[in-house]
Amino acid sequence: MNNQKAVDLFNKLADSYQQRFFSVDHYGESLNILLNHLEERSKVLDVACGPGNISHYLLERLPQLELLGIDLAPNMIELARKNNPNARFLVYDALQIDYLDTSFDAIVVGFLFPYLAIEQVELFLFKVYEKLNENGILYLSTMTDLYENSRMKASSTGEEVMMYYYETGFLTRLLQQIGFRVISTHEQPFPVSETETDTDLILIAQKQATPKNY
């Protein structure tokens, strides 16, 4: 990931991030759709896994999943290992998933895209397609808005980091162009503060056709 400032920030705030965001029950409906497409021993990759919160949700319900989580923040990986002792976690760059030596039945991408520019997103999704097994599932969550509204935003500790927004239509079209069939699209509000609310976007898509080349 090129945005080293975001990585450093997440590494610094790992404990407070876990305290605030470990529960993903707010996304339970969409995560349960993902679970319905998994089998007991499906191979799952959790990209930008943070403290392993999504991994924990999945493993609580399907404890025999072969789950690998990756994140560039070492402190996040340390927490993920503690929270999910039966899964495997690595300090690893999401943009290098094409070098992983296995393929997956599902790839989970939870809130990575707010830290990736549009060119990185396009290349990354092509790599996701290539790393999925036949009929594999992509679970993607991000924040939706006009890309032009991407901007520097302050964290809870005051540090500023670049935040990128993506429109639902753009991501849906991109997934279809690459070779995915979009199964589910859902938007829901997420309160950032007492005065500000973002809109979360959750997309679930299945690998199908021959991809285009980027």
Side-chain angles (χ1 to χ4, degrees):
M1 211 164 81
N2 289 344
N3 196 344
Q4 187 61 43
K5 188 173 183 179
V7 174
D8 293 342
L9 182 61
F10 276 111
N11 199 50
K12 177 181 178 180
L13 301 179
D15 288 324
S16 59
Y17 181 94
Q18 173 171 258
Q19 292 172 11
R20 185 177 178 187
F21 297 114
F22 191 77
S23 173
V24 292
D25 291 346
H26 189 57
Y27 307 101
E29 182 178 348
S30 59
L31 287 169
N32 290 339
I33 295 174
L34 169 62
L35 284 163
N36 288 336
H37 285 85
L38 300 179
E39 297 181 359
E40 186 176 346
R41 295 186 178 274
S42 292
K43 292 183 178 180
V44 178
L45 175 65
D46 187 356
V47 179
C49 65
N53 46 348
I54 295 179
S55 293
H56 186 77
Y57 187 95
L58 299 178
L59 289 166
E60 272 198 327
R61 290 151 181 82
L62 286 176
Q64 300 303 314
L65 289 175
E66 295 184 35
L67 190 144
L68 169 64
I70 61 172
D71 199 291
L72 265 179
N75 290 340
M76 288 291 197
I77 289 297
E78 182 180 350
L79 291 172
R81 288 169 176 160
K82 291 177 180 177
N83 293 322
N84 303 281
N86 294 323
R88 182 171 169 239
F89 294 91
L90 298 174
V91 177
Y92 196 90
D93 190 340
L95 297 181
Q96 302 296 320
I97 63 169
D98 45 324
Y99 291 105
L100 293 171
D101 60 2
T102 188
S103 57
F104 301 90
D105 301 307
I107 296 179
V108 175
V109 187
F111 294 100
L112 170 66
F113 282 14
Y115 308 99
L116 296 184
I118 193 167
E119 299 84 3
Q120 294 172 306
V121 162
E122 291 173 344
L123 181 58
F124 172 77
L125 284 176
F126 180 77
K127 292 180 177 182
V128 166
Y129 183 97
E130 291 295 311
K131 296 306 293 184
L132 281 169
N133 293 327
E134 184 178 357
N135 297 319
I137 299 294
L138 166 65
Y139 177 97
L140 168 65
S141 58
T142 188
M143 296 184 296
T144 184
D145 200 345
L146 297 174
Y147 187 73
E148 305 89 86
N149 291 337
S150 301
R151 60 192 185 276
M152 297 294 291
K153 292 189 70 175
S155 72
S156 58
T157 56
E159 294 98 334
E160 288 198 332
V161 64
M162 186 66 185
M163 300 288 288
Y164 294 96
Y165 295 93
Y166 293 95
E167 292 181 84
T168 302
F170 166 76
L171 289 176
T172 299
R173 289 190 298 272
L174 178 58
L175 288 168
Q176 292 169 340
Q177 289 167 5
I178 291 172
F180 286 96
R181 177 175 67 91
V182 177
I183 297 171
S184 174
T185 304
H186 178 66
E187 295 182 13
Q188 61 188 43
F190 183 82
V192 179
S193 66
E194 293 183 359
T195 59
E196 184 179 5
T197 300
D198 278 328
T199 301
D200 290 343
L201 166 65
I202 301 99
L203 288 170
I204 302 174
Q206 186 172 41
K207 178 177 178 174
Q208 53 170 13
T210 302
K212 292 186 176 182
N213 293 319
Y214 284 94

